[in-house]
Amino acid sequence: MRPEPYSIIVENLAKRYTLGTRSDSTQLREHVMKLFRGSFSERRVEKHVWALRDLSFNVREGEVVGILGRNGAGKSTLLKVLSRITSPTSGRISVRGRVASLLEVGTGFHEELTGRENVFLNGSILGMRQREVKQRFDAIVSFAGVEDFIDTPIKRYSSGMRLRLGFAVAAHLEPDVLVVDEVLAVGDAAFQKKCITAMEGLRSGGRTVLFVSHNMAAVENLCSRGIWIERGTLQMDGDAREVIKAYLASYGGQCSTDSGLDFSNRTGTGEIRFTQVERLNPDGTPAEVTQCGGGVVLRIHFTATEMVRFPIFGMQLFTSMGTLVCGAGTWHQGLSIPSVEPGAGFIDVEFEMLNLLPGRYSISLWVTTDAGSAVIDGDVRLPLDIEQADVYGGGRAIDGKSGIVFFPQRWRLPQVRADGERREPGPVLKDCTS
C-alpha cells in the first residue's frame, strides 16, 4: 500500500522557554558582571514555560488547515518551529518541500535592501532560480500595490506595504507549504480579499497551507480542517466548522459574564421578580455562544409572591454604548396573560435570527401590568455577546464597523446586451438568508 502523502508530520512536539534569561555572551564585561552578581546576590531560580507540549498531528498534501486558539495558546510558536525559525525542545517534525512563512509584518526582509532586491532574495532562499523569480516579479509587485516604491529600501515602507509585499512574495513564489499567521489582521478590505483569493488558488493548486486567523468566517470558508490548540496542547482536530463551533463555545463561556442577571439597577414593586435566564439553541439545547445571524431562545425564570393579573413581559436591547436597538414584549405580540400564580415560573422569548453585528449587547427585562403604569420588576440586565459568522456566505467577516444590524438582502446583476440595452435582472449573486 502506498504511504499517505503527508507534507507535515508533527510527533510529540514540545517547546520550552526559560524566563528571565538571555543567551550567553563572550564579552569579558559580561563574565565579570556575572561573577559580581553571583558573589553579592542570591542565585536566581530559573522559571520555565511550556509553549507547546506533546503536540502531534499530520497534514496531507494540498490540505488547508486553520489553526485556532486564544492569544498565548502556542499558535505562533508552532508556526515558528515548522518554519525552522526556532528549534523544538523535544519531539519530531518533518516538512516536505519548500516552505514560505509570513509570521509577522516584514518577516524575512532585509531592511537596507530595496523591495525589488528583497523579492529576489526571498526567491533564492526558497531555492528558486533568478529566471523563475523574474517570471513572477510583475505579478508580485502588482498584487502588493507597491509599483512606485519597489526600488525604495524596505526600511522606509509602512507596515501595510511590508505586509502586502511579504504576502505577495510568499504566495507567488509557489512554495509547497505556506505558513500564514494573522495576515488578515492588517490591511484594508480590498487587500484581505486578495489574500483570500490567493490562498484559494494555492488550495486548488494542491499546495499545503497552515492558516492562523481570528477571522472565523475566513477560516470556515478557506479551511476544510481545523486544529484547536489550548495552552500548547491539542484540544481538537477535525472538520473546520465543528472545531470553530467548539472553540467559539468555549470562548463565549469564558468571556461573557455568564448567563446570570445584573440586579444593580432593579426597580419595581416586587410581586414578580426575575431570578435567572437560560440561553438555549432553537432545538432546546444549551447555547454556549450566539453567532451573528443565528437564533437563540431566552428562557426567563421568575418567582411571584402573589397572584398578578394581566402581566406584560417585555425587553429592551441596547448596544455597549447604551443605544437602544429595539424594544418588544408580549403586548406587541398580542399575547394576553390572564394571570401569574404565586410560585416559580418561566417564559420563553425566541429570536429566529439575530440580525446583530458582532459585539457585546445588553438586554433589559421588564414586567408591568396591563394598565402599563405600574412596574413590577424592571431594568434587570442580561449581557449578550454576538460572535462573528459567515452570514453572507462569502467568507467575509463583518464587524461593528459595519453598523449595528445587518439586513437579509439579494444582489442581482443586470444583463446588458452589446447595444447597451438593459435586459431583465439576472440570477441572484448572493443571498445571505440561504
Side-chain angles (χ1 to χ4, degrees), residues 182-257:
E182 286 296 357
V183 70
L184 299 180
V186 182
D188 56 21
F191 175 68
Q192 292 181 12
K193 182 179 179 181
K194 279 186 178 182
C195 292
I196 292 174
T197 302
M199 284 188 281
E200 287 174 342
L202 290 170
R203 176 179 61 183
S204 61
R207 304 298 198 275
T208 301
V209 180
L210 292 185
F211 178 46
V212 170
S213 177
H214 289 292
N215 184 336
M216 294 297 106
V219 173
E220 182 177 343
N221 184 259
L222 283 171
C223 306
S224 58
R225 177 181 169 194
I227 292 177
W228 173 16
I229 298 175
E230 189 72 30
R231 296 181 180 177
T233 62
L234 183 65
Q235 187 78 10
M236 187 175 179
D237 182 356
D239 177 76
R241 293 189 178 185
E242 293 302 317
V243 175
I244 290 171
K245 183 177 179 181
Y247 170 65
L248 287 178
S250 73
Y251 186 87
Q254 291 192 15
C255 288
S256 64
T257 58

Side-chain angles (χ1 to χ4, degrees), residues 288-303:
E288 297 294 338
V289 65
T290 303
Q291 288 186 296
C292 177
V296 67
V297 177
L298 300 180
R299 177 158 292 174
I300 305 168
H301 293 262
F302 58 83
T303 299

Side-chain angles (χ1 to χ4, degrees), residues 2 16 28 72 76 102 124 127 147 184 224 227 233 255 261 302 357 359 377 386 392 404 420:
R2 183 175 178 267
R16 186 184 72 174
L28 176 61
S76 296
L102 189 61
S124 65
E147 294 91 337
L184 299 180
S224 58
I227 292 177
T233 62
C255 288
L261 297 175
F302 58 83
L357 296 183
D377 200 7
I386 304 296
Y392 293 116
I404 299 174

Side-chain angles (χ1 to χ4, degrees), residues 312-334:
I312 297 173
F313 290 86
M315 52 145 285
Q316 292 176 306
L317 178 68
F318 297 90
T319 68
S320 60
M321 300 299 291
T323 302
L324 177 63
V325 179
C326 71
T330 55
W331 182 84
H332 298 85
Q333 295 286 316

Side-chain angles (χ1 to χ4, degrees), residues 98 116 119-141 168-169 171-176 207:
R98 296 185 301 204
R116 182 187 302 274
V119 170
F120 283 94
L121 175 63
N122 275 262
S124 65
I125 291 173
L126 287 174
M128 301 189 70
R129 299 178 184 273
Q130 191 177 41
R131 175 176 51 82
E132 295 178 279
V133 180
K134 283 183 177 179
Q135 291 175 348
R136 299 169 176 83
F137 184 80
D138 290 341
I140 292 172
V141 176
V169 170
H172 285 79
L173 294 185
E174 297 186 356
D176 298 296
R207 304 298 198 275

Side-chain angles (χ1 to χ4, degrees), residues 24-36:
D24 292 334
S25 173
T26 57
Q27 293 184 13
L28 176 61
R29 182 180 61 183
E30 292 295 325
H31 286 297
V32 173
M33 291 302 296
K34 285 182 180 179
L35 291 172
F36 182 82

